[in-house]
C-alpha cells in the first residue's frame, strides 16, 4: 500500500505539531513510535504523511520537502522503498500477516540510506493477534525506524501499545485556521456553513462540499425522522442505508444525536445553542422533554458500543447492528 500524493499536504492547523516534530528530529530526540490520536476528520494522516515526506527528502528547504529530489519523486509516485503504509485490506481489520511484513521491513537496511517509516491507520483496526505482533517492534525498535500509529479511537488500543508510543492528541481547530483553507479548495458552498454543519471537523466540512455527501446525510436524517413517525420499520430503514458503510451510518447518527442533546439541554437550561445542522430541527422536536433526552443519552452510549463492536474481531453482523440501533432510536419516542 502506498501513500497518495495529496495526503502529504501540511494542513494549517497542524503547523504547531509539525514544528514540534521537526524540532525533536533536529535535536536527535525523536521517539521511535508516535500515536496520533483524535477524532476522524482532523487530518492526522496528512500530518503523518507530510512528516514522513520531510524525513525522507534529500534536500529539505525551509522545513519543507523539496518536491524535486529522487526521494520526493519516489514518494509522489507511491513507490518509495522505505515508506510503508499499513491499513485494512478487504476487511475492517489489520491482520497479523501485515504486521509480520512490517516487522520484516523494519529489520531490513534502509534502501535509500535514511529512515524507514511505517504508518498504521487506523491503528485500532488491528486485531488482537496483529496488535500483539506489533509489540515486537515497539519493544525492540530497529535503528532509524519510525512508527506512526494514526488512531481515531486510541482507547480501543491496548494499554501496552499506548504506553510504548509517544502520544500526540489532536482536537478541533479554530475556525479562523480552517475557513481560509476551505476557501482555497474552490468550493461552491459557504465554508463557514460547511464547518458549522460538520461540527468544526475540517475534513468532514470539505466532504460536505460534495453534493453526493449532502445527499447521503439527508437520506440518513430522513430515515431517522420516518422511524420516529412510524412511517417505516427498522428493516426498511436498514435497507435505505445499506449503501453506506456501518462506520458512516454510526458516525452520522452520533453527530446527529450529540447535536440534538446539546441543543435540547440548552433549551431546558434556558441557554443558547445553535444546531450545527439546521436540518435537525425537526428531529430535535421529538426529544424535548427531560425523560426522552435522558433516553437519547443512553442511545448515544449504544452508538459508542456499536462503533466498538464494528471495529472488534468478533465479526459482527452489520445489518443486525443497524436494525438494533434503529429499533432503539424509534423506541425512545414510542415508549
Amino acid at each position: 500500500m502506498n501513500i497518495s500524493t495529496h495526503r502529504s499536504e501540511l494542513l494549517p492547523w497542524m503547523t504547531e505539531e509539525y514544528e514540534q516534530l521537526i524540532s525533536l528530529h533536529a535535536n536527535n530526540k525523536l521517539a521511535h513510535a508516535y500515536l496520533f490520536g483524535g477524532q476522524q476528520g482532523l487530518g492526522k494522516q496528512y500530518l503523518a504523511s507530510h512528516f514522513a515526506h520531510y524525513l525522507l527528502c534529500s534536500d529539505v528547504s525551509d522545513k519543507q520537502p523539496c518536491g524535486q529530489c529522487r526521494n520526493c519523486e519516489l514518494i509522489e509516485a507511491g513507490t518509495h522503498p522505505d515508506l510503508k503504509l499499513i491499513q485494512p485490506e478487504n476487511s475492517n481489520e489489520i491482520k497479523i500477516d501485515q504486521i509480520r511484513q512490517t516487522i520484516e521491513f523494519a529489520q531490513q537496511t534502509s534502501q535509500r540510506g535514511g529512515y524507514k517509516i511505517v504508518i498504521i491507520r487506523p491503528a485500532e483496526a488491528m486485531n488482537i493477534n496483529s496488535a500483539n505482533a506489533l509489540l515486537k517492534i515497539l519493544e525492540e525498535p530497529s535503528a532509524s525506524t519510525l512508527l506512526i500509529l494514526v488512531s481515531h479511537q486510541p482507547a480501543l488500543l491496548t494499554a501496552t501499545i499506548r504506553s510504548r508510543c509517544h502520544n500526540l492528541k489532536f482536537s478541533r481547530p479554530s475556525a479562523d485556521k480552517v475557513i481560509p483553507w476551505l476557501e482555497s479548495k474552490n468550493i461552491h458552498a459557504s465554508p463557514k456553513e460547511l464547518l458549522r454543519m460538520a461540527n468544526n471537523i475540517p475534513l468532514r466540512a470539505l466532504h460536505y462540499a460534495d453534493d453526493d455527501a449532502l445527499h447521503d446525510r439527508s437520506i440518513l436524517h430522513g430515515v431517522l425522522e420516518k422511524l420516529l413517525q412510524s412511517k417505516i420499520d427498522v428493516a426498511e430503514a436498514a435497507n435505505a442505508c445499506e449503501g453506506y458503510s456501518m462506520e458512516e451510518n454510526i458516525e452520522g447518527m452520533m453527530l446527529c444525536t450529540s447535536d440534538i442533546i446539546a441543543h435540547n439541554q440548552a433549551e431546558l437550561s434556558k441557554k443558547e445553542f445553535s444546531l450545527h445542522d439546521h436540518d435537525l430541527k425537526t428531529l430535535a422536536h421529538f426529544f424535548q422533554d427531560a425523560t426522552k433526552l435522558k433516553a437519547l443519552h443512553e442511545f448515544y452510549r449504544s452508538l459508542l458500543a456499536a462503533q466498538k463492536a464494528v471495529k472488534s474481531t468478533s465479526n459482527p453482523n452489520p445489518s443486525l447492528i443497524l436494525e438494533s440501533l434503529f429499533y432503539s432510536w424509534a423506541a425512545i419516542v414510542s415508549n
Side-chain angles (χ1 to χ4, degrees), residues 257 260-266 268 286-298 332:
T257 302
I260 292 172
I261 288 172
H263 175 264
N264 287 7
Q265 280 182 332
L268 288 172
F286 286 91
F287 306 96
Q288 286 184 318
D289 67 74
T291 301
K292 287 184 172 57
L293 193 56
K294 182 179 179 181
L296 198 59
H297 276 281
E298 291 298 323
I332 296 174

Side-chain angles (χ1 to χ4, degrees), residues 104-124:
E104 184 178 340
F105 170 82
Q107 292 173 338
Q108 295 171 351
T109 303
S110 165
Q111 294 189 42
R112 299 288 299 172
Y115 270 93
K116 290 170 295 175
I117 302 172
V118 178
I119 299 174
I120 301 177
R121 69 166 189 190
E124 62 269 21

Side-chain angles (χ1 to χ4, degrees), residues 62-117:
D62 195 25
K63 301 180 181 179
Q64 296 296 327
C66 71
Q68 298 177 347
C69 68
R70 181 56 180 160
N71 281 320
C72 286
E73 289 176 352
L74 290 169
I75 290 171
E76 290 180 10
T79 57
H80 198 291
D82 295 327
L83 178 59
K84 190 174 186 67
L85 174 64
I86 302 297
Q87 58 187 1
E89 295 179 349
N90 304 318
S91 72
N92 290 325
E93 294 183 348
I94 293 174
K95 298 182 178 179
I96 190 168
D97 285 345
Q98 293 173 270
I99 301 302
R100 285 173 176 160
Q101 292 171 11
T102 301
I103 294 172
E104 184 178 340
F105 170 82
Q107 292 173 338
Q108 295 171 351
T109 303
S110 165
Q111 294 189 42
R112 299 288 299 172
Y115 270 93
K116 290 170 295 175
I117 302 172

